[in-house]
Amino acid sequence: MEYWSTMASLLGVFAFSQTLLQTLFPPELRVAIVKLFARFFSCFSSYAYFDITEIDGVNTNELYNAVQLYLSSSVSTAGSATTRLSLSRPLNSTAIAFGLSNNDSIADEFDGVAVQWEHIVTPRQLQSFPWRIFPEEKRGFTLKIKKQDRLFVILNAYLDHIVEKANEIRRKNQDRYLFTNPRGGSLDSTGCNPWEAVPFKHPSTFETLAIDPIKKRQIMEDLRDFANGNSFYQKTGRAWKRGYLLYGPPGTGKSSLIAAMANFLGYDIYDLELTEVQNNSELRKLLMKTTPKSIIVIEDIDCSIELSNRKMNVTNSVCENGGNSITLSGLLNFSDGLWSCCGSEKIFVFTTNHIEKLDPALLRSGRMDVHIFMSFCSFPALKILLKNYLDWDEEQEDLDGTTTLSELEESVEKAEMSPADISEILIKNRREKGRAMRKVLEALKLRANKKLAINGVSRKKDEDHVEEEQEKRAVENIKKRIEEHHER
């Protein structure tokens, strides 16, 4: 009984002391004292702290979202650096998202300076304003750095680096689209956009693309330099765009290369159908409605509209193209004029099966910076096809004991078959790998023999033509000598 009486007395003294302290030290004074002590101890602390809250006032802090994305990529590769991770999977996504757990921390490094991030989550006292509902928890990141590292000098560079990486992650994670212009350049029913889009799900990548490995590596390096060249293009005063011309026989992989480029860079594709566009004005409207980080494609440029005669006037163009009045100058302004600078980080890709039909004005640097010849299937490209369709690897000499690589190499160089033709044979016979190899070799030899026979006939015609010319010249020489003899 005496014990409980003592406890009651102590609680009474505590309550009285608390009331007295609240009277003598109002909340404003207590906050001021806490800030004063914090400043005092910060003078002796070797660290500096920067807070980034989820909500800045009543608005969402975009820097918080950028830091969250940036750290999620760091956490996924941090291994044992963190003791607890937060895992999530967005709706309709197969990718697992990593994140910092509540009140956990992770170390990072930038430009040789070590930093530490802490994810702080506390209950929110004020739940909402009448016009805005806030989350129940208050979230934020705290950046901890050593003062001696003088990160104040590079803080802006570090935050810019975080924002850039976050934008890159967003671009890779977001859905990409394939756009087309079914109504030419006219606006839709809402008057907003002449483009219609479908999700872009093409599986082509540079790993599966059946072209020469050296050429493939050169294309990838050029694309990588372009995507990372913002500062270069600003320094040189050039528009941040690049033009590619893909030319070669049908079935050599021009469309697959475009899809691989889009997957490699994470860009959208705008497939421009020129025959649907009525005039240069509509062409400009289409260009203005394209977004940055995109690939604008005009396939079979030699077949779309008549562009070989740069002096062609609008009247003739309308008559010859069934009402289409796009001129060569309009297309040149589209790819390399003032209007081509609408937005940044764009790639223009033209394809053709007959490069000789194009006007030289379309081919010069600045419009088509990179010319890529898509050739018939070579032996290195054939090995890529065998790997894709038959799971063949370099250590295997053959797949059926009869078809050797040396036979394939000798035949493929003579046959001049497109990768599409060879792929079709492999698809039909992919269940029996040995049969597939034999069928490919038979097709290659058959095509090579036909080509040899055609060349032989052509050569025979050329030889006969040479003989005829020689006989004609001989007859003419005899007639000339006879005439000279009679004159004498």
Side-chain angles (χ1 to χ4, degrees), residues 94-108:
T94 58
I96 300 296
F98 295 82
L100 278 178
S101 297
N102 295 348
N103 303 312
D104 204 351
S105 60
I106 183 175
D108 191 24

Side-chain angles (χ1 to χ4, degrees), residues 126-157:
L126 182 61
Q127 294 297 326
S128 64
F129 289 105
W131 64 87
R132 174 72 184 271
I133 298 177
F134 290 98
E136 295 181 355
E137 295 177 325
K138 183 179 180 180
R139 300 174 179 272
F141 288 103
T142 296
L143 174 61
K144 177 183 176 182
I145 59 174
K146 286 185 178 181
K147 292 180 179 179
Q148 65 183 20
D149 290 329
R150 305 178 67 85
L151 189 61
F152 297 100
V153 180
I154 61 171
L155 181 60
N156 288 335

Side-chain angles (χ1 to χ4, degrees), residues 272-423:
L272 176 60
E273 182 57 58
L274 281 182
T275 56
E276 296 292 333
V277 185
Q278 297 301 313
N279 49 55
N280 294 337
S281 178
E282 286 192 355
L283 194 61
R284 286 194 297 269
K285 291 177 183 178
L286 286 167
L287 180 61
M288 292 171 63
K289 291 294 183 179
T290 59
T291 60
K293 299 183 183 297
S294 59
I295 300 176
I296 302 171
V297 180
I298 301 179
E299 293 198 272
D300 297 324
I301 183 63
D302 56 299
C303 301
S304 298
I305 54 177
E306 179 61 45
L307 295 173
S308 59
N309 184 3
R310 73 177 74 188
K311 296 181 180 180
M312 176 183 58
N313 56 41
V314 175
T315 304
N316 291 337
S317 177
V318 172
C319 297
E320 293 175 4
N321 296 300
N324 189 307
S325 60
I326 298 177
T327 61
L328 178 60
S329 62
L331 187 62
L332 295 180
N333 287 328
F334 176 85
S335 61
D336 186 34
L338 291 175
W339 291 101
S340 68
C341 304
C342 297
S344 61
E345 201 169 347
K346 292 182 180 179
I347 293 178
F348 294 85
V349 179
F350 290 179
T351 72
T352 179
N353 297 333
H354 306 283
I355 190 175
E356 68 279 359
K357 293 184 179 181
L358 299 184
D359 191 288
L362 267 174
L363 306 179
R364 73 165 179 81
S365 298
R367 289 168 182 152
M368 296 296 107
D369 305 288
V370 183
H371 295 195
I372 301 175
F373 175 60
M374 306 297 292
S375 61
F376 290 111
C377 189
S378 62
F379 184 60
L382 177 61
K383 292 193 291 185
I384 295 174
L385 292 176
L386 295 178
K387 178 182 178 182
N388 293 342
Y389 292 99
L390 305 180
D391 294 328
W392 175 86
D393 58 58
E394 291 284 351
E395 296 180 358
Q396 293 178 276
E397 282 296 320
D398 52 63
L399 288 173
D400 65 342
T402 59
T403 306
T404 62
L405 293 180
S406 58
E407 289 180 295
L408 289 172
E409 183 176 9
E410 181 181 357
S411 300
V412 74
E413 300 298 338
K414 298 177 180 178
E416 293 187 354
M417 285 184 68
S418 68
D421 292 336
I422 296 178
S423 297

Side-chain angles (χ1 to χ4, degrees), residues 17-33:
S17 301
Q18 187 178 17
T19 303
L20 182 62
L21 287 173
Q22 289 179 352
T23 303
L24 296 176
F25 301 97
E28 294 81 2
L29 181 59
R30 292 200 302 270
V31 171
I33 293 174

Side-chain angles (χ1 to χ4, degrees), residues 422-436:
I422 296 178
S423 297
E424 187 62 28
I425 299 173
L426 294 174
I427 290 174
K428 290 180 179 179
N429 301 278
R430 68 184 185 281
R431 300 182 187 278
E432 299 181 27
K433 298 181 180 180
R435 174 184 172 86

